[in-house]
Amino acid sequence: MKVAYTQKTAQEIVHLVLTGKLNTDPIGQRPPTSQTYSKSRDIIWSLLMGVGIGMITVRDISEDKEMQKIYPGVHYLVIDGGHRIRALIKFYQNKFPVNKKKFKELNIDLSNFQVA
């Protein structure tokens, strides 16, 4: 098994999810545990304040023929970090505010935020 560490920006993560290249809810991944956005708000606050959101672990299945049968067109499956990525997506989609402001009200570029 080959292991590689790369850093992506929050914007790159958003793009991968929205284009269907990154699946945050593969079989076996724990589903969302809350109906509210309180934990998601804390996650995004940590990202915006420079604390970060920790390492996200994914499995590259882009060359795995058997996995492509199950997840056609998907390049990565989330192993750890599904909730953090879902929080990022929901924030980007303007679903909840952080510090009383939604994403579209803030003048931020997610390309400036690294996600390990």
Side-chain angles (χ1 to χ4, degrees), residues 45-72:
W45 178 254
S46 292
L47 178 70
L48 298 178
M49 292 297 100
V51 176
I53 59 174
M55 183 181 291
I56 292 172
T57 305
V58 299
R59 177 179 172 202
D60 183 344
I61 63 163
S62 60
E63 303 293 325
D64 186 326
K65 290 178 182 167
E66 291 302 312
M67 293 304 286
Q68 284 299 309
K69 291 177 186 175
I70 300 168
Y71 302 101

Side-chain angles (χ1 to χ4, degrees), residues 7 23 29 85 93 107:
Q7 281 198 319
N23 184 326
Q29 173 71 8
I85 294 173
Q93 293 173 330
N107 186 23

Side-chain angles (χ1 to χ4, degrees), residues 9-60:
T9 66
Q11 186 62 52
E12 288 172 314
I13 297 291
V14 167
H15 178 74
L16 286 169
V17 172
L18 296 181
T19 59
K21 303 287 186 218
L22 174 61
N23 184 326
T24 62
D25 295 304
I27 298 166
Q29 173 71 8
R30 185 175 60 180
T33 57
S34 174
Q35 298 296 322
T36 68
Y37 291 112
S38 60
K39 183 175 179 182
S40 294
R41 195 174 294 119
D42 292 343
I43 290 167
I44 300 304
W45 178 254
S46 292
L47 178 70
L48 298 178
M49 292 297 100
V51 176
I53 59 174
M55 183 181 291
I56 292 172
T57 305
V58 299
R59 177 179 172 202
D60 183 344

Side-chain angles (χ1 to χ4, degrees), residues 41 45 48 91 94 96-106:
R41 195 174 294 119
W45 178 254
L48 298 178
F91 179 63
N94 233 36
F96 64 89
V98 172
N99 203 21
K100 300 183 181 179
K101 292 197 177 197
K102 292 186 176 181
F103 177 76
K104 291 182 181 175
E105 298 172 293
L106 296 170

